[in-house]
Amino acid sequence: TGGHTTEILRLLSCLSESYSPRHYVFADSDKMSEAKICSFEQKRAETFSKSQFTLDRIPRSREVRQSWTSSVVTTLYSILYSVPLTYKRKPDLILCNGPGTCVPVCISAFLLGLLRIKRTIIVYVESICRVETLSLSGKILYYFSDYFIVQWPDLKKKYPKSIYLGRVV
């Protein structure tokens, strides 16, 4: 909500028209991100007239301050909800940046790849605010992503699989 959406939209503003259609996935309770995405896409349509996008909602995998035990259950529910969505969309690329909502989507895409249904490239960009440690989403997706991008050199030292590109948002 909010910060993660702003970061991902900054990244998307640098992408060419060939990255279309774009399928946005966000938590069903996240109205702020939905509004930001619609505004971003309206502005993008002024430049790229053939730009296409969809909005998809999934159950929130973890609420702020939710207990770890109950978040396992809600995340499993979100994964089960995400599998048919990921199967329907069959994305070539997932670009995500940290909210808990991205974990179920990435895991469902990873599962579809394991089943040889659709291979999806997963690119995870750790938030600029993560200077010394990874977020919980980052700690999980470090093992599932094809490209794991960090924005601080200290994180590259701690996580050798990561790619340090400096500030990208």
Side-chain angles (χ1 to χ4, degrees), residues 76-91:
L76 288 173
Y77 176 67
S78 293
I79 292 169
L80 290 174
Y81 195 93
S82 297
V83 170
L85 173 63
T86 308
Y87 179 79
K88 175 183 171 186
R89 298 289 182 212
K90 291 188 176 74

Side-chain angles (χ1 to χ4, degrees), residues 17-70:
E17 187 176 9
S18 62
Y19 289 92
S20 183
R22 284 168 307 288
H23 304 288
Y24 296 94
V25 180
F26 51 93
D28 53 8
S29 60
D30 188 356
K31 303 298 181 214
M32 184 187 310
S33 291
E34 181 177 7
K36 283 184 175 191
I37 292 164
C38 289
S39 175
F40 170 80
E41 286 294 339
Q42 283 177 332
K43 288 178 188 171
R44 190 171 175 91
E46 295 170 7
T47 306
F48 303 116
S49 60
K50 295 182 182 182
S51 186
Q52 297 176 345
F53 73 99
T54 62
L55 301 173
D56 292 302
R57 294 164 187 80
I58 65 170
R60 187 175 292 274
S61 58
R62 184 171 186 269
E63 294 287 348
V64 176
R65 296 192 230 345
Q66 181 178 350
S67 75
W68 294 106
T69 307
S70 66

